[in-house]
């Protein structure tokens, strides 16, 4: 009976079999199983989407579209700044659709209000933003200043999408290192996974940062940190409440610091460190309040 029904559907609606199958699977598995991901990387000069931009110049912040490689799911997007800051920026969404292709990170006020587009309200400033990476030198924050160029890449994984940025020749304690920041999102998830690594396998004391203001609500648990605060978009749109959280393995953390508008997770020296990045906002229903967001952070496991 099921085969006859599927055949009838395909005759009535002549679309590819894979599309029909995907619709049936989504109907049976629920909306969360149908989450999607996408990436974006291009030069402003031609606006052509590419999978890689390699540059001997370490700073192409103003030349690369939306200032660096970006990856998104239905709930939020992240971009890695193509400069020496090591910062990651956040774009909040309603959880309804993918938006990078249509809005290039910068929807107008009208598109936000009338079309339900996301909002670029998170203002990184001089901080590491949402999960940005630096190095730790006896109490001093060392940014990922590349001396031999920088490469951005985006693409597909087995079950999602990624965006990464590699800084070559980062000077630290008299030596040079190549440091890669990679953000992955899964098609069937709402979070992101951040992996930072030294490409030759040498150990470094990585720092992962989370921006916070004095007025924000901060929660620090044994396996997570989270911030809930209010932001205003540059286009004058209504304020939006944004939740950002980082899930981590306690064994990899040496200490916490709070300084210069950031919560800092100072890691024990290693060649690689991993974090789970979680975001929500008042633009969505699922994690649209402080209580819902904190409850999600507390229950969340490191891997899904």
């Amino acid at each position: 009976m099921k085969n006859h029904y599927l055949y009838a559907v395909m005759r009535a609606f002549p679309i590819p079999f894979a599309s029909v199958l995907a619709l049936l699977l989504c109907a049976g598995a629920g909306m969360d199983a149908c989450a999607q991901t996408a990436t974006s990387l291009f030069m402003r000069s031609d606006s052509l989407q590419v999978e890689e931009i390699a540059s001997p110049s370490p700073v192409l912040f103003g030349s690369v579209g939306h200032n660096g490689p970006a990856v998104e799911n239905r709930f939020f997007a992240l971009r890695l700044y193509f400069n020496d800051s090591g910062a990651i920026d956040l774009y909040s969404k309603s959880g309804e659709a993918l938006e990078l292709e249509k809005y290039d990170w910068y929807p107008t006020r009208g598109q936000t209000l009338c079309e339900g587009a996301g909002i670029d309200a998170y203002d990184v400033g001089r901080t590491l933003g949402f999960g940005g990476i630096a190095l730790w030198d006896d109490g001093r924050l060392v940014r990922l200043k590349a001396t031999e160029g920088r490469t951005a890449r985006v693409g597909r994984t087995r079950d999602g999408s990624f965006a990464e940025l590699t800084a070559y020749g980062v000077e630290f304690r008299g030596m040079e290192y190549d440091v890669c920041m990679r953000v992955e999102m899964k098609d069937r998830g709402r979070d992101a996974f951040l992996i930072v690594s030294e490409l030759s396998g040498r150990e470094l004391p990585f720092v992962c940062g989370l921006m916070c203001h004095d007025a924000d609500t901060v929660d620090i648990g044994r396996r997570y940190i989270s911030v809930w605060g209010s932001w205003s978009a540059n286009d004058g749109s209504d304020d939006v409440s944004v939740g950002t959280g980082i899930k981590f393995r306690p064994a990899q953390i040496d200490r916490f610091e709070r300084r210069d508008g950031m919560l800092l997770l100072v890691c024990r020296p290693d060649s690689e460190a991993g974090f789970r990045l979680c975001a929500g906002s008042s633009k969505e229903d699922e994690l649209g309040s402080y209580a819902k967001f904190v409850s999600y952070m507390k229950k969340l496991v490191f891997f899904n």
Side-chain angles (χ1 to χ4, degrees):
M1 179 62 71
K2 291 183 179 178
N3 290 338
H4 290 303
Y5 175 74
L6 180 59
Y7 178 71
V9 172
M10 292 176 66
R11 286 192 56 129
F13 303 96
I15 57 178
F17 173 78
S19 298
V20 175
L21 182 59
L23 289 172
L24 293 176
L25 290 174
C26 287
M31 182 59 72
D32 286 346
C34 299
Q36 304 173 45
T37 60
T39 61
S40 180
L41 177 63
F42 62 93
M43 297 295 294
R44 293 183 187 274
S45 58
D46 57 21
S47 298
L48 297 177
Q49 288 288 334
V50 296
E51 293 184 350
E52 177 179 302
I53 295 177
S55 172
S57 171
V59 178
L60 291 182
F61 183 83
S63 301
V64 175
H66 39 67
N67 307 125
V71 61
E72 68 170 331
N73 59 28
R74 290 188 297 114
F75 296 94
F76 65 96
L78 298 174
R79 58 177 172 178
L80 289 68
Y81 282 165
F82 205 120
N83 59 18
D84 294 328
S85 69
I88 299 177
D89 195 12
L90 169 68
Y91 176 88
S92 300
K93 301 196 290 182
S94 64
E96 297 297 327
L98 302 177
E99 299 185 15
L100 285 177
E101 182 179 5
K102 183 175 183 179
Y103 300 118
D104 285 339
W105 198 278
Y106 304 110
T108 64
R109 174 177 169 82
Q111 289 170 329
T112 297
L113 296 178
C114 300
E115 299 177 14
I119 188 169
D120 177 29
Y122 199 71
D123 186 4
V124 170
R126 296 181 180 274
T127 74
L128 290 171
F130 180 25
I133 297 294
L135 302 177
W136 188 257
D137 188 9
D138 295 329
R140 184 172 66 94
L141 204 64
V142 179
R143 300 290 181 136
L144 301 181
K145 185 175 182 179
T147 63
E148 299 178 8
R150 189 172 259 112
T151 297
R153 296 185 181 90
V154 297
R156 288 287 299 174
T157 64
R158 180 175 57 86
D159 55 359
S161 301
F162 77 90
E164 71 177 32
L165 196 61
T166 302
Y168 298 99
V170 176
E171 296 181 347
F172 184 72
R173 296 177 180 173
M175 299 183 68
E176 292 187 355
Y177 299 85
D178 300 332
V179 179
C180 177
M181 298 166 52
R182 180 182 175 101
V183 175
E184 297 183 359
M185 289 182 171
K186 295 185 177 182
D187 290 333
R188 297 188 179 188
R190 65 161 294 142
D191 303 323
F193 292 86
L194 168 66
I195 306 97
V196 55
S197 60
E198 203 288 316
L199 297 186
S200 66
R202 291 176 292 174
E203 294 186 347
L204 285 170
F206 296 113
V207 179
C208 185
L210 183 61
M211 179 169 55
C212 65
H213 298 140
D214 291 340
D216 293 343
T217 303
V218 175
D219 285 272
I220 300 177
R222 183 173 178 269
R223 299 177 182 271
Y224 75 92
I225 57 174
S226 71
V227 174
W228 184 270
S230 181
W231 293 87
S232 298
N234 294 329
D235 64 4
S237 301
D238 294 337
D239 289 355
V240 58
S241 295
V242 175
T244 51
I246 301 177
K247 202 81 175 185
F248 55 85
R249 296 186 181 93
Q252 78 178 3
I253 304 302
D254 179 64
R255 62 194 297 178
F256 294 94
E257 293 274 344
R258 182 168 183 171
R259 63 166 72 173
D260 303 324
M262 294 180 284
L263 295 176
L264 301 176
L265 297 172
V266 182
C267 299
R268 295 184 172 92
D270 206 335
S271 60
E272 182 177 289
F275 308 89
R276 185 166 182 168
L277 307 183
C278 317
S281 75
S282 55
K283 287 186 66 63
E284 60 164 291
D285 294 328
E286 186 174 324
L287 300 182
S289 69
Y290 164 72
K292 290 180 179 179
F293 186 72
V294 171
S295 176
Y296 178 79
M297 290 299 305
K298 291 179 178 179
K299 296 176 182 178
L300 190 67
V301 296
F302 188 85
F303 291 106
N304 58 358

